[in-house]
Structures are given as structure tokens and as C-alpha cells.
Amino acid sequence: LFQTVDKDQAFAYQVGGNFKTYPWNQLDTVSLGMKYRTRIWREWLFFEVGPQISFQSRYDYEPVTGISFSIEGIFGKDALLK
């Protein structure tokens, strides 16, 4: 699910899960996350931050939190054609 704030900012919401079928059927992981992305310079440089939480069977489904940070640049003569 994506939510656009304006032409330079957006949110992405994520839900995921893993299910094992061998040697028995088991829900292995459920994860929830959100990403915020913003343009930080010109038309080609972006910053993204993404907190997340997961519940994994190997940790008895106790919450495990994390966060990611990234910078992305788009390069090339025709990379940003509209």
C-alpha cells in the first residue's frame, strides 16, 4: 500500500509472512513495516527510512524490531523521463 504526500514524499506500508510446510505446517514469521521516502536533492537523490517489527517462531513470536536507512540515486541520461 502506498500513500503519496506530495511530489517529493511518500509512505509505503508492508505486511508479510512466511509459512513452512515441511516437516510440518507452521507459521514461521509475520512482519509489519513502513517506509518513508523523500527527495533530498534535485530530481534524482532520495532518502528512505523504514522501521519494522517481526514475530518469528525461533524467538517464540516475541517482537523483534529493526530500522533501515538508505540513500538512492538515479543516474543515466534518460533515467528520469516523464
mmCIF file of all heavy atoms in Angstrom, residues 13-35:
data_model
loop_
_atom_site.group_PDB
_atom_site.id
_atom_site.type_symbol
_atom_site.label_atom_id
_atom_site.label_comp_id
_atom_site.label_asym_id
_atom_site.label_seq_id
_atom_site.Cartn_x
_atom_site.Cartn_y
_atom_site.Cartn_z
ATOM 1 N N TYR A 13 3.455 0.991 3.122
ATOM 2 C CA TYR A 13 3.102 0.125 4.242
ATOM 3 C C TYR A 13 3.224 -1.322 3.781
ATOM 4 O O TYR A 13 2.781 -1.665 2.686
ATOM 5 C CB TYR A 13 1.684 0.420 4.707
ATOM 6 C CG TYR A 13 1.470 1.882 5.040
ATOM 7 C CD1 TYR A 13 0.922 2.757 4.114
ATOM 8 C CD2 TYR A 13 1.841 2.389 6.275
ATOM 9 C CE1 TYR A 13 0.739 4.098 4.408
ATOM 10 C CE2 TYR A 13 1.665 3.730 6.581
ATOM 11 C CZ TYR A 13 1.109 4.578 5.643
ATOM 12 O OH TYR A 13 0.937 5.904 5.941
ATOM 13 N N GLN A 14 3.816 -2.173 4.622
ATOM 14 C CA GLN A 14 4.093 -3.552 4.222
ATOM 15 C C GLN A 14 3.643 -4.534 5.304
ATOM 16 O O GLN A 14 3.815 -4.273 6.496
ATOM 17 C CB GLN A 14 5.589 -3.742 3.996
ATOM 18 C CG GLN A 14 6.162 -2.803 2.957
ATOM 19 C CD GLN A 14 7.678 -2.829 2.928
ATOM 20 O OE1 GLN A 14 8.318 -2.930 3.973
ATOM 21 N NE2 GLN A 14 8.244 -2.734 1.737
ATOM 22 N N VAL A 15 3.091 -5.648 4.858
ATOM 23 C CA VAL A 15 2.732 -6.774 5.724
ATOM 24 C C VAL A 15 3.248 -8.016 5.021
ATOM 25 O O VAL A 15 3.067 -8.172 3.815
ATOM 26 C CB VAL A 15 1.210 -6.876 5.933
ATOM 27 C CG1 VAL A 15 0.864 -8.101 6.743
ATOM 28 C CG2 VAL A 15 0.665 -5.625 6.591
ATOM 29 N N GLY A 16 3.899 -8.897 5.764
ATOM 30 C CA GLY A 16 4.430 -10.108 5.150
ATOM 31 C C GLY A 16 4.383 -11.282 6.098
ATOM 32 O O GLY A 16 4.239 -11.117 7.316
ATOM 33 N N GLY A 17 4.506 -12.454 5.538
ATOM 34 C CA GLY A 17 4.530 -13.653 6.354
ATOM 35 C C GLY A 17 5.214 -14.793 5.619
ATOM 36 O O GLY A 17 5.258 -14.818 4.392
ATOM 37 N N ASN A 18 5.764 -15.709 6.387
ATOM 38 C CA ASN A 18 6.385 -16.926 5.847
ATOM 39 C C ASN A 18 5.730 -18.123 6.515
ATOM 40 O O ASN A 18 5.513 -18.126 7.735
ATOM 41 C CB ASN A 18 7.884 -16.962 6.124
ATOM 42 C CG ASN A 18 8.631 -15.909 5.358
ATOM 43 O OD1 ASN A 18 8.258 -15.555 4.253
ATOM 44 N ND2 ASN A 18 9.690 -15.388 5.947
ATOM 45 N N PHE A 19 5.465 -19.135 5.713
ATOM 46 C CA PHE A 19 4.811 -20.338 6.205
ATOM 47 C C PHE A 19 5.612 -21.543 5.750
ATOM 48 O O PHE A 19 5.896 -21.696 4.567
ATOM 49 C CB PHE A 19 3.383 -20.403 5.638
ATOM 50 C CG PHE A 19 2.515 -21.423 6.297
ATOM 51 C CD1 PHE A 19 1.906 -21.147 7.510
ATOM 52 C CD2 PHE A 19 2.293 -22.645 5.706
ATOM 53 C CE1 PHE A 19 1.093 -22.069 8.121
ATOM 54 C CE2 PHE A 19 1.487 -23.592 6.300
ATOM 55 C CZ PHE A 19 0.874 -23.306 7.510
ATOM 56 N N LYS A 20 6.030 -22.376 6.694
ATOM 57 C CA LYS A 20 6.764 -23.604 6.365
ATOM 58 C C LYS A 20 5.776 -24.764 6.201
ATOM 59 O O LYS A 20 4.823 -24.872 6.963
ATOM 60 C CB LYS A 20 7.748 -23.958 7.477
ATOM 61 C CG LYS A 20 8.925 -23.040 7.582
ATOM 62 C CD LYS A 20 9.883 -23.535 8.654
ATOM 63 C CE LYS A 20 11.086 -22.638 8.769
ATOM 64 N NZ LYS A 20 12.001 -23.103 9.821
ATOM 65 N N THR A 21 6.056 -25.627 5.229
ATOM 66 C CA THR A 21 5.196 -26.797 5.028
ATOM 67 C C THR A 21 5.914 -28.117 5.278
ATOM 68 O O THR A 21 5.295 -29.171 5.195
ATOM 69 C CB THR A 21 4.632 -26.802 3.586
ATOM 70 O OG1 THR A 21 5.719 -26.806 2.663
ATOM 71 C CG2 THR A 21 3.749 -25.588 3.351
ATOM 72 N N TYR A 22 7.214 -28.038 5.546
ATOM 73 C CA TYR A 22 7.955 -29.274 5.797
ATOM 74 C C TYR A 22 8.896 -29.066 6.971
ATOM 75 O O TYR A 22 9.537 -28.022 7.025
ATOM 76 C CB TYR A 22 8.760 -29.685 4.552
ATOM 77 C CG TYR A 22 9.476 -31.002 4.732
ATOM 78 C CD1 TYR A 22 8.803 -32.198 4.550
ATOM 79 C CD2 TYR A 22 10.808 -31.036 5.126
ATOM 80 C CE1 TYR A 22 9.446 -33.402 4.740
ATOM 81 C CE2 TYR A 22 11.450 -32.242 5.325
ATOM 82 C CZ TYR A 22 10.769 -33.419 5.129
ATOM 83 O OH TYR A 22 11.397 -34.610 5.328
ATOM 84 N N PRO A 23 9.030 -29.893 7.918
ATOM 85 C CA PRO A 23 8.422 -31.219 8.031
ATOM 86 C C PRO A 23 6.971 -31.169 8.521
ATOM 87 O O PRO A 23 6.270 -32.173 8.484
ATOM 88 C CB PRO A 23 9.312 -31.931 9.038
ATOM 89 C CG PRO A 23 9.881 -30.851 9.878
ATOM 90 C CD PRO A 23 9.996 -29.641 8.966
ATOM 91 N N TRP A 24 6.495 -30.028 8.991
ATOM 92 C CA TRP A 24 5.082 -29.870 9.351
ATOM 93 C C TRP A 24 4.677 -28.439 9.002
ATOM 94 O O TRP A 24 5.509 -27.571 8.794
ATOM 95 C CB TRP A 24 4.853 -30.169 10.838
ATOM 96 C CG TRP A 24 5.704 -29.343 11.742
ATOM 97 C CD1 TRP A 24 5.454 -28.067 12.168
ATOM 98 C CD2 TRP A 24 6.955 -29.696 12.316
ATOM 99 N NE1 TRP A 24 6.472 -27.608 12.952
ATOM 100 C CE2 TRP A 24 7.415 -28.593 13.073
ATOM 101 C CE3 TRP A 24 7.750 -30.854 12.271
ATOM 102 C CZ2 TRP A 24 8.619 -28.606 13.763
ATOM 103 C CZ3 TRP A 24 8.938 -30.834 12.966
ATOM 104 C CH2 TRP A 24 9.355 -29.735 13.700
ATOM 105 N N ASN A 25 3.384 -28.204 8.933
ATOM 106 C CA ASN A 25 2.876 -26.876 8.613
ATOM 107 C C ASN A 25 3.052 -25.949 9.812
ATOM 108 O O ASN A 25 2.626 -26.282 10.924
ATOM 109 C CB ASN A 25 1.402 -26.938 8.228
ATOM 110 C CG ASN A 25 1.183 -27.731 6.962
ATOM 111 O OD1 ASN A 25 2.074 -27.812 6.124
ATOM 112 N ND2 ASN A 25 0.016 -28.316 6.815
ATOM 113 N N GLN A 26 3.691 -24.806 9.591
ATOM 114 C CA GLN A 26 3.954 -23.884 10.687
ATOM 115 C C GLN A 26 4.086 -22.456 10.158
ATOM 116 O O GLN A 26 4.775 -22.211 9.165
ATOM 117 C CB GLN A 26 5.257 -24.259 11.404
ATOM 118 C CG GLN A 26 5.640 -23.309 12.500
ATOM 119 C CD GLN A 26 7.014 -23.628 13.085
ATOM 120 O OE1 GLN A 26 7.718 -24.512 12.617
ATOM 121 N NE2 GLN A 26 7.387 -22.880 14.100
ATOM 122 N N LEU A 27 3.432 -21.533 10.823
ATOM 123 C CA LEU A 27 3.640 -20.124 10.535
ATOM 124 C C LEU A 27 4.997 -19.756 11.106
ATOM 125 O O LEU A 27 5.222 -19.866 12.308
ATOM 126 C CB LEU A 27 2.541 -19.269 11.169
ATOM 127 C CG LEU A 27 2.673 -17.762 10.979
ATOM 128 C CD1 LEU A 27 2.587 -17.400 9.507
ATOM 129 C CD2 LEU A 27 1.606 -17.035 11.766
ATOM 130 N N ASP A 28 5.913 -19.347 10.255
ATOM 131 C CA ASP A 28 7.289 -19.103 10.673
ATOM 132 C C ASP A 28 7.525 -17.647 11.074
ATOM 133 O O ASP A 28 8.119 -17.377 12.105
ATOM 134 C CB ASP A 28 8.246 -19.507 9.556
ATOM 135 C CG ASP A 28 9.688 -19.465 9.982
ATOM 136 O OD1 ASP A 28 9.996 -19.998 11.071
ATOM 137 O OD2 ASP A 28 10.499 -18.897 9.248
ATOM 138 N N THR A 29 7.087 -16.692 10.249
ATOM 139 C CA THR A 29 7.361 -15.275 10.503
ATOM 140 C C THR A 29 6.199 -14.415 10.019
ATOM 141 O O THR A 29 5.641 -14.662 8.951
ATOM 142 C CB THR A 29 8.629 -14.820 9.749
ATOM 143 O OG1 THR A 29 9.715 -15.649 10.122
ATOM 144 C CG2 THR A 29 8.974 -13.376 10.066
ATOM 145 N N VAL A 30 5.877 -13.406 10.808
ATOM 146 C CA VAL A 30 4.948 -12.349 10.404
ATOM 147 C C VAL A 30 5.696 -11.041 10.580
ATOM 148 O O VAL A 30 6.349 -10.831 11.614
ATOM 149 C CB VAL A 30 3.669 -12.347 11.269
ATOM 150 C CG1 VAL A 30 2.782 -11.167 10.916
ATOM 151 C CG2 VAL A 30 2.919 -13.648 11.111
ATOM 152 N N SER A 31 5.632 -10.161 9.583
ATOM 153 C CA SER A 31 6.343 -8.889 9.701
ATOM 154 C C SER A 31 5.455 -7.732 9.257
ATOM 155 O O SER A 31 4.622 -7.873 8.364
ATOM 156 C CB SER A 31 7.632 -8.913 8.877
ATOM 157 O OG SER A 31 7.340 -9.142 7.510
ATOM 158 N N LEU A 32 5.663 -6.598 9.910
ATOM 159 C CA LEU A 32 4.960 -5.355 9.615
ATOM 160 C C LEU A 32 6.000 -4.265 9.449
ATOM 161 O O LEU A 32 6.955 -4.202 10.222
ATOM 162 C CB LEU A 32 4.007 -4.984 10.747
ATOM 163 C CG LEU A 32 3.006 -6.038 11.188
ATOM 164 C CD1 LEU A 32 2.378 -5.637 12.512
ATOM 165 C CD2 LEU A 32 1.954 -6.228 10.127
ATOM 166 N N GLY A 33 5.817 -3.408 8.471
ATOM 167 C CA GLY A 33 6.791 -2.340 8.266
ATOM 168 C C GLY A 33 6.178 -1.145 7.574
ATOM 169 O O GLY A 33 5.083 -1.192 7.025
ATOM 170 N N MET A 34 6.908 -0.065 7.632
ATOM 171 C CA MET A 34 6.513 1.165 6.988
ATOM 172 C C MET A 34 7.780 1.825 6.469
ATOM 173 O O MET A 34 8.823 1.750 7.115
ATOM 174 C CB MET A 34 5.824 2.089 7.987
ATOM 175 C CG MET A 34 5.378 3.410 7.399
ATOM 176 S SD MET A 34 4.708 4.509 8.641
ATOM 177 C CE MET A 34 6.211 5.265 9.200
ATOM 178 N N LYS A 35 7.722 2.456 5.307
ATOM 179 C CA LYS A 35 8.867 3.196 4.783
ATOM 180 C C LYS A 35 8.430 4.616 4.455
ATOM 181 O O LYS A 35 7.335 4.824 3.932
ATOM 182 C CB LYS A 35 9.432 2.543 3.523
ATOM 183 C CG LYS A 35 10.119 1.235 3.788
ATOM 184 C CD LYS A 35 10.742 0.692 2.524
ATOM 185 C CE LYS A 35 11.442 -0.629 2.825
ATOM 186 N NZ LYS A 35 12.076 -1.177 1.630
#
